[in-house]
Amino acid sequence: MPTFVAPGVAVLAPEEAALFDALEARFQDIAAALGARQVAGPALLPEADLASLDFFRNFPHLGLPVATLPEQARGELARGEVSTPSPEHPLVSTGCYLPTATCYGLLVSLKERAFETPEVITSVGRCFRNEDHYDGLRRLRAFHMREALYVGSQEGVLDHLSRATEHVLALADRLGIKVRREPATDPFYLGDGSRALLNQLDPVKFEFVSDDGTAIASVNRHRNFFGERLGIRFADESAYSGCLAFGVERWVHALLQVHGDPRRALDALHETTA
């Protein structure tokens, strides 16, 4: 079983870590089959870029700002006058936030760029969310998310997500994980405006939910939202984008639910590649 060093912060035991790595290798294979090139995304995101994407309007509860200690507090700690930072000294903002999803950093890296051919990239990132509660590996404060991002035409996004859906369903079936594909509310399209109405008529987010209600993967159609906000162009217009996302620890959880322990789960995973 994982060890929790803080609420929502897990350390996987060796066999669980082996299961994590084996799953991640499968997700990389799927990303490659979708034509994605591997990149390493950023560990921090600029506050200004998140603001331009309406992050603080849509996800005010999830954000975790990165700050440093003020000079006075650093001096007190270094001299051994206190053992922990004093709440009397306000933290100093770095202007950055921890990422809540891998695709943010990937999209920000494409800011103000123009493409004549689709850009398809993949990365696994450590993500962080300030949730109202945590629940084992199902809901963590710190977790890993593998994403395969497509940036290009509207038709290309639909094809990318259609093929991604087939891969997710096939992998879950081979591993004995029963999932159902459910439309999900996308906070970018909440409210009373035209975007909200459009989302009701044409959902942009679908989750793959296991038997115990855990959403282990999703496909997300962004329309041209990020293209417009970040100045990403494709064929002389704002680019359309969409992504496939895997919650790696959630897949570990789902396999443990099916197979009982990490050794049997890992054997089952290896059998599907034999």
Side-chain angles (χ1 to χ4, degrees):
M1 295 294 292
T3 299
F4 291 89
V5 298
V9 182
V11 176
L12 300 183
E15 289 182 344
E16 296 163 341
L19 184 57
F20 177 104
D21 289 341
L23 281 165
E24 231 295 274
R26 293 311 248 340
F27 302 153
Q28 289 185 55
D29 289 343
I30 289 175
L34 294 171
R37 297 179 297 115
Q38 179 79 26
V39 300
L44 301 176
L45 297 173
E47 181 181 285
D49 285 326
L50 289 175
S52 74
L53 300 174
D54 294 341
F55 177 85
F56 300 107
R57 186 187 73 177
N58 296 311
F59 308 103
H61 57 296
L62 294 183
L64 289 166
V66 179
T68 186
L69 296 170
E71 185 174 352
Q72 183 176 351
R74 293 199 299 267
E76 292 173 351
L77 289 163
R79 292 188 296 271
E81 296 173 2
V82 294
S83 59
T84 59
S86 170
E88 297 177 1
H89 304 311
L91 297 175
V92 179
S93 174
T94 63
C96 291
Y97 276 68
L98 296 172
T100 57
T102 299
C103 66
Y104 279 120
L106 303 184
L107 286 157
V108 168
S109 75
L110 305 179
K111 184 178 178 180
E112 303 299 338
R113 291 181 60 183
F115 298 94
E116 294 299 324
T117 58
E119 182 76 353
V120 190
I121 53 179
T122 184
S123 183
V124 64
R126 187 180 285 274
C127 300
F128 305 83
R129 294 182 182 177
N130 183 48
E131 304 275 16
D132 58 7
H133 72 282
Y134 301 102
D135 182 10
L137 296 180
R138 297 181 63 197
R139 184 180 293 269
L140 291 164
R141 180 187 291 272
F143 58 96
H144 293 80
M145 183 184 295
R146 161 68 62 179
E147 296 207 37
L149 171 71
Y150 173 98
V151 177
S153 69
Q154 186 173 13
E155 297 77 12
V157 170
L158 295 176
D159 178 67
H160 177 79
L161 299 184
S162 175
R163 291 188 293 126
T165 296
E166 292 175 1
H167 281 293
V168 173
L169 293 175
L171 178 61
D173 182 63
R174 290 197 300 272
L175 296 178
I177 303 173
K178 295 179 181 178
V179 295
R180 56 188 184 274
R181 178 176 175 268
E182 297 183 348
T185 300
D186 192 321
F188 283 106
Y189 297 95
L190 292 179
D192 300 321
S194 60
R195 286 192 298 165
L197 176 59
L198 185 58
N199 188 52
Q200 293 175 25
L201 299 173
D202 182 19
V204 296
K205 181 183 180 74
F206 287 88
E207 292 178 334
F208 301 89
V209 182
S210 65
D211 272 352
D212 68 354
T214 304
I216 61 176
S218 65
V219 288
N220 309 273
R221 180 161 52 94
H222 311 143
R223 299 197 175 101
N224 58 356
F225 177 85
F226 291 106
E228 289 181 343
R229 294 298 180 92
L230 294 172
I232 306 171
R233 308 285 294 175
F234 178 78
D236 296 326
E237 65 176 2
S238 294
Y240 286 77
S241 62
C243 64
L244 162 65
F246 294 99
V248 188
E249 285 88 352
R250 290 186 177 196
W251 279 77
V252 172
H253 164 81
L255 272 181
L256 292 177
Q257 291 295 108
V258 172
H259 298 285
D261 68 63
R263 186 178 297 277
R264 285 199 295 268
L266 190 60
D267 288 344
L269 185 60
H270 289 326
E271 286 173 5
T272 65
T273 59

